[in-house]
Amino acid sequence: MQSIRRAAQLVAFVSLVLVLSVGSAFAQSRLIIASGTDAVTLDAHRITDSPSATVSEHITEPLFELTPDGQIVPHLVESYEVSDDGLVWTLHLRQGIRFHDGTPFNAAAVKYNLDRILDPANAVTFRFLIDPVISVEVVDDYTVRLTTGAPFAPILAHLTHSSIGMLSPAALERYGEDIARNPVGTGPFRFKEWVRNDRIVLERNPDYWGEPPQVDEIVFRVVPEDGARMLMVQTGEAHVAVRVPPDMVSVLERDPNVNVVFTPSVRTIYIGFNTYQRADRPKNPFTDVRVRQAFNYAVDNAAINEFILGGMGRPSDAPIAPGIFGYAAIGGYEYNPEKARQLLAEAGYPNGFRVQFYSPSGRYLKDLEVAEAVQAQLAEVGIQADIVTLEWATYLDATNRPAHENEVPMFLLGWGTVTGDADYGLYPLFHSSQWVPTGSNRAFYSNPRVDELLDRARTTPDDAVRRAAYEEAMRIIMEDAPWLFLHAETQITAIRSNVEGVIVHPTERIIASGARIR
Amino acid sequence: MSQYILRRLALVLPVLVGVSIVVFSMVRLIPGDPARVMAGEAASEEVVEMIRQQLGLNEHPVVQYWIFLKNLFRGDLGRSTLSRLPVLDEITAALPGTLQLAVASMVIATALGVTTGLLSAVRPNSWVDALSMFIALVGVSMPVFWLGLMLMLLFSLHLGWFPTAGHGTWRHLVLPSITLGLSSAAIIARMTRSSMLEVLRQDYVRTARAKGVPERGVVLRHAFRNALIPVVTVMGLQFGNLLGGAVLTETVFAWPGIGRLMVGAITARDYPVVQGAVLTVAVGFILINLLVDVLYAYIDPTIRYD
């Protein structure tokens, strides 16, 4: 009797083992990405941060795609043509695509989305990317015609932006504001679940129109603590860990199971000078170009890059980073404290002066450490910079005040040219119509020639003319030095060595649509 | 007793109104514009102004408070200005995580704290006492982000016993609740020790010993129960702290809870979420205080509330 029972137990045990092992052979493949910050919203049109954009781009697709090497290629659009006067863009859409809820993707859907973005009442931040568009017409089921008021050259680049992604019109109607956590797009993955501050789960879209995804699920885990995130990729609890701190690179590189990937980012870090002379204040030294140039000569970018960023930055040789259309290596300021002192003396500050220097803390790679290094190097030429750190919301508020009430003389900030086109990297920052709070020109920089060049580059469809205009504009900007040009960031990502096909995009997004786990 | 509880519960309402006024004015007094944070650094003033209008931020603060209060009584905490999701959903999503972590670390803290406190008190100034009080001192002094990372290194990376971070199974709960429980354990241990030492000096303890009650009975039955009142008070306070103040542990272990929700909301000037989360934690505090008061009567029958 007992032996029968033992035999039965054995059979049960063996079959359990069999079931488990067969089960695991058919187990779902799940790619886990540990990111530092949770997404804010998955309503593509309202996204203004990279963590949200990273998740969203797997669900919601744009009309055009910016490839990692900076090419603009049609995506949901099959082909397009532009009228000779550069005002009318006709887009022929790919046919047979459906949104995840079954709604057909067609011209009406494109119009619905673009109209939602363009309606000022909807207060979409990135509306300005396409606001020269004055009408969106449905020509037939799969043809859309965009008309702009004036020629607008960067339009295709702007249509690659993740905030111009296509959401299902039916879902937008159904969910209203709740589309933020019920996104429905055409992408390779469908939204499955979002547990705030914990994880977002996407599942494979079996009906995807393009290259079918290789993994069944992608899980974005929110792990704010750097150390924990790195440990997770070492233990195999995560396949990808974003934002590796430079000082942890060597530890991860020693781990045979982990690869560390370095990708240049389109984000430029700079220190802006407030060049506006307020009537109610004493003379502002930054109105003098010699002072601004002196600051640039006084700072050793190469040393900051080597000793603070651990070689993970690229000293700026232009206001925008390589990989952006229109970039040209203009050449940065060499480190020359002698020249800095001389320029300061010429400007009437032989003994330097004292200035408040605003810096965020923890927003960009080693931001405060970089600010402290700049402070130390400025001290060498007689400038006493007192660092003021504010928490981010307060910081934005302070640097965003209109010229006549702005109290911030000098501030560290970053700008990501996420459209891959110089227009977005220069126009909002240097055109005189873009002084904060209207645009993002926080230096209150104004140069009529730069305005003219930026306007020309934006309204000419000819790439060669555009490049030439940007090059000249950037040359003047470097010379005028409304910024202390620092560096472009490098993204450092840790990826398990058994994972293939994860793309770290220069626009600070992780693309896992083609990922495979070996 | 039940009348006392009802009376105490009725007091919750005015306390909450008070808390809401304080929170409401505090979040608005700190500089920073929720509409600007929400729209992002690239947004134009036009967009920001439109959002400000939609969020009702241009209304007079008193009007804003009135609207908030009216909605509150309808059980509507509003929508997050950042994610545009209902605040109630954000809080109910974070609450289970907070409660799990608070209860688990309280269990650990109590078991560890009371045991070491008792052992120290029974043999005061012995090596057992010195050792446990030293450990308690270390426990209070260790920063949780350091302890948390050390536990991860040992138990996740080297031994592979527990997951590093995240939320899901009971195994995810072990490291964060130890990390969080240790400092509370230390405080409870010190309180148990001093309270026990005091009680052990009382006449009735001497009487019990004189009667020939075994030492074990003297300590556990006669002394311990009488030493419990201050210990329970401290435990109540600790538990209350764990509800809203576990933000560091939650961050290190990527644990979704009220603490992280609240800090994230403060950073983004997400007024409705800050208000909702603080009110929730306040309710938690009030209920725990009430529970502690009720426990007093249970521990010490001479305490009556009628």
Side-chain angles (χ1 to χ4, degrees):
Chain A
M1 194 59 195
Q2 208 165 22
S3 60
I4 294 177
R5 191 179 298 162
R6 200 167 290 159
Q9 278 172 350
L10 190 70
V11 170
F13 177 72
V14 169
S15 45
L16 184 71
V17 169
L18 274 176
V19 166
L20 283 180
S21 50
V22 170
S24 64
F26 285 100
Q28 288 204 322
S29 57
R30 174 186 292 171
L31 186 84
I32 300 170
I33 299 176
S35 55
T37 326
D38 198 7
V40 172
T41 172
L42 293 179
D43 176 349
H45 304 163
R46 299 206 178 279
I47 290 174
T48 60
D49 60 307
S50 327
S52 300
T54 286
V55 178
S56 173
E57 285 231 344
H58 293 87
I59 308 167
T60 316
E61 299 176 291
L63 295 172
F64 289 82
E65 184 195 347
L66 180 70
T67 62
D69 56 356
Q71 303 298 311
I72 297 170
V73 294
H75 193 67
L76 288 177
V77 162
E78 189 137 56
S79 63
Y80 67 96
E81 61 252 9
V82 57
S83 64
D84 291 338
D85 58 5
L87 292 176
V88 181
W89 297 78
T90 308
L91 312 179
H92 304 284
L93 308 179
R94 269 180 208 277
Q95 303 193 7
I97 300 177
R98 282 180 181 278
F99 289 100
H100 302 150
D101 61 357
T103 310
F105 169 75
N106 54 25
V110 173
K111 179 173 166 58
Y112 190 96
N113 274 274
L114 296 183
D115 283 348
R116 180 175 189 247
I117 297 164
L118 285 166
D119 184 352
N122 288 332
V124 171
T125 294
F126 285 108
R127 169 174 177 256
F128 71 85
L129 289 178
I130 56 168
D131 70 357
V133 173
I134 49 175
S135 84
V136 183
E137 287 164 77
V138 174
V139 178
D140 61 43
D141 264 4
Y142 293 99
T143 312
V144 188
R145 190 180 293 144
L146 311 183
T147 310
T148 56
F152 186 56
I155 190 162
L156 296 186
H158 288 191
L159 288 175
T160 67
H161 193 268
S162 55
S163 69
I164 319 287
M166 295 293 124
L167 287 160
S168 156
L172 281 166
E173 290 285 333
R174 188 162 63 245
Y175 293 118
E177 297 226 75
D178 286 342
I179 193 82
R181 57 172 169 187
N182 297 284
V184 180
T186 55
F189 287 86
R190 295 191 298 216
F191 174 75
K192 186 174 172 192
E193 180 193 24
W194 183 0
V195 183
R196 287 295 261 174
N197 280 329
D198 183 37
R199 63 178 184 274
I200 295 176
V201 184
L202 311 183
E203 60 184 3
R204 198 161 69 91
N205 170 11
D207 307 317
Y208 186 54
W209 60 271
E211 198 68 30
Q214 303 283 314
V215 292
D216 296 308
E217 282 189 350
I218 304 180
V219 182
F220 294 90
R221 292 215 82 115
V222 186
V223 187
E225 163 64 35
D226 289 342
R229 208 161 58 242
M230 299 314 124
L231 283 175
M232 282 180 80
V233 80
Q234 286 190 281
T235 58
E237 287 164 78
H239 297 100
V240 180
V242 304
R243 293 185 64 144
V244 177
D247 35 11
M248 292 195 190
V249 167
S250 59
V251 175
L252 291 173
E253 279 182 332
R254 279 200 299 273
D255 190 325
N257 296 316
V258 178
N259 292 327
V260 184
V261 179
F262 302 92
T263 318
S265 161
V266 292
R267 184 177 298 280
T268 296
I269 307 296
Y270 66 94
I271 295 169
F273 302 118
N274 182 339
T275 64
Y276 183 78
Q277 178 62 57
R278 277 174 64 168
D280 57 344
R281 288 295 150 91
K283 183 169 167 24
N284 172 2
F286 294 124
T287 53
D288 191 323
V289 64
R290 289 169 298 191
V291 172
R292 304 194 300 257
Q293 289 176 341
F295 273 57
N296 272 287
Y297 281 118
V299 171
D300 188 350
N301 268 339
I304 289 179
N305 178 44
E306 186 179 344
F307 298 112
I308 294 183
L309 303 174
M312 302 305 162
R314 179 186 180 280
S316 295
D317 53 7
I320 54 175
I324 298 168
F325 173 87
Y327 161 82
I330 307 294
Y333 287 82
E334 89 263 31
Y335 174 54
N336 189 343
E338 260 320 298
K339 184 143 188 188
R341 273 187 220 106
Q342 184 196 327
L343 282 166
L344 283 173
E346 282 171 27
Y349 302 98
N351 302 315
F353 55 90
R354 191 171 178 171
V355 63
Q356 282 196 321
F357 173 20
Y358 284 63
S359 170
S361 175
R363 181 80 188 178
Y364 309 108
L365 197 63
K366 303 259 170 200
D367 44 13
L368 190 56
E369 288 90 335
V370 170
E372 282 162 356
V374 169
Q375 177 189 39
Q377 289 170 350
L378 289 176
E380 298 281 304
V381 300
I383 300 296
Q384 187 185 340
D386 302 320
I387 292 184
V388 182
T389 54
L390 295 174
E391 159 282 338
W392 183 244
T394 320
Y395 193 81
L396 268 187
D397 206 45
T399 56
N400 233 6
R401 298 246 158 235
H404 60 274
E405 55 182 61
N406 197 303
E407 303 275 2
V408 181
M410 142 177 201
F411 51 91
L412 188 146
L413 267 178
W415 185 267
T417 307
V418 288
T419 58
D421 188 283
D423 180 72
Y424 183 55
L426 298 174
Y427 192 88
L429 297 164
F430 297 108
H431 197 281
S432 64
S433 68
Q434 300 294 307
W435 285 12
V436 286
T438 306
S440 296
N441 185 346
R442 290 172 166 84
F444 304 107
Y445 175 65
S446 168
N447 182 320
R449 177 66 186 156
V450 170
D451 284 357
E452 193 188 321
L453 289 163
L454 293 181
D455 284 331
R456 183 194 302 163
R458 149 175 271 235
T459 50
T460 321
D462 186 335
D463 278 357
V465 177
R466 296 190 70 208
R467 275 183 199 283
Y470 284 134
E471 189 169 340
E472 191 188 337
M474 290 194 295
R475 205 171 288 285
I476 301 171
I477 292 167
M478 291 302 282
E479 184 71 29
D480 279 349
W483 289 1
L484 199 168
F485 302 92
L486 288 175
H487 53 266
E489 284 191 343
T490 299
Q491 309 174 73
I492 316 172
T493 315
I495 302 178
R496 296 280 296 177
S497 41
N498 64 340
V499 175
E500 289 170 353
V502 172
I503 295 169
V504 184
H505 202 282
T507 58
E508 300 187 343
R509 288 168 295 134
I510 306 280
I511 301 172
S513 303
R516 267 184 314 279
I517 304 169
R518 274 196 322 255
Chain B
M1 188 67 173
S2 57
Q3 238 188 353
Y4 169 76
I5 295 178
L6 279 178
R7 232 182 17 242
R8 283 285 300 267
L9 282 177
L11 273 175
V12 169
L13 217 61
V15 171
L16 282 188
V17 170
V19 169
S20 71
I21 292 177
V22 172
V23 182
F24 194 88
S25 12
M26 228 148 58
V27 286
R28 279 164 181 77
L29 280 176
I30 42 176
D33 177 356
R36 170 54 65 184
V37 179
M38 188 175 155
E41 32 196 315
S44 70
E45 183 61 12
E46 181 197 351
V47 168
V48 175
E49 183 52 37
M50 182 61 84
I51 293 176
R52 242 180 246 137
Q53 258 176 42
Q54 288 171 355
L55 296 178
L57 293 168
N58 289 337
E59 304 283 346
H60 191 275
V62 175
V63 178
Q64 288 184 45
Y65 181 71
W66 178 241
I67 296 171
F68 164 70
L69 213 56
K70 258 194 340 208
N71 291 337
L72 184 65
F73 280 103
R74 269 191 254 124
D76 176 9
L77 286 170
R79 273 176 187 267
S80 154
T81 58
L82 195 63
S83 67
R84 303 201 177 202
L85 299 175
V87 172
L88 203 60
D89 291 10
E90 302 241 10
I91 289 173
T92 43
L95 207 52
T98 294
L99 288 177
Q100 283 164 10
L101 189 58
V103 169
S105 44
M106 210 54 218
V107 168
I108 291 175
T110 310
L112 267 176
V114 170
T115 323
T116 44
L118 269 180
L119 284 176
S120 301
V122 175
R123 307 234 181 293
N125 304 322
S126 68
W127 66 269
V128 183
D129 183 23
L131 184 69
S132 16
M133 284 307 110
F134 176 71
I135 294 175
L137 184 69
V138 173
V140 185
S141 325
M142 252 186 313
V144 292
F145 49 86
W146 182 81
L147 176 64
L149 283 174
M150 289 304 120
L151 290 178
M152 279 181 202
L153 268 180
L154 180 61
F155 291 106
S156 309
L157 186 65
H158 293 299
L159 298 173
W161 291 356
F162 300 109
T164 312
H167 176 244
T169 65
W170 67 269
R171 294 173 66 237
H172 284 95
L173 189 55
V174 177
L175 296 184
S177 46
I178 291 176
T179 308
L180 192 56
L182 269 188
S183 65
S184 299
I187 294 168
I188 293 172
R190 296 189 75 89
M191 186 48 87
T192 309
R193 177 180 181 271
S194 60
S195 175
M196 271 300 279
L197 281 177
E198 199 169 319
V199 172
L200 283 172
R201 276 197 293 270
Q202 299 292 321
D203 287 344
Y204 60 81
V205 172
R206 198 178 311 135
T207 313
R209 285 201 175 116
K211 277 196 313 191
V213 178
E215 187 59 19
R216 201 186 162 81
V218 171
V219 171
L220 291 180
R221 290 237 317 278
H222 293 257
F224 182 54
R225 188 155 175 181
N226 285 302
L228 262 180
I229 296 254
V231 176
V232 168
T233 312
V234 166
M235 279 166 54
L237 285 175
Q238 288 294 314
F239 192 77
N241 278 339
L242 295 182
L243 286 186
V247 58
L248 285 179
T249 311
E250 287 175 7
T251 305
V252 172
F253 288 98
W255 188 270
I258 292 271
R260 257 170 82 204
L261 180 73
M262 210 150 43
V263 170
I266 293 170
T267 315
R269 302 292 184 275
D270 194 339
Y271 297 162
V273 173
V274 179
Q275 285 156 196
V278 171
L279 282 181
T280 311
V281 173
V283 171
F285 242 99
I286 295 171
L287 291 182
I288 290 164
N289 267 323
L290 179 58
L291 186 71
V292 168
D293 286 348
V294 171
L295 273 179
Y296 286 166
Y298 174 75
I299 297 166
D300 182 353
T302 61
I303 296 177
R304 297 173 154 271
Y305 294 115
D306 307 319

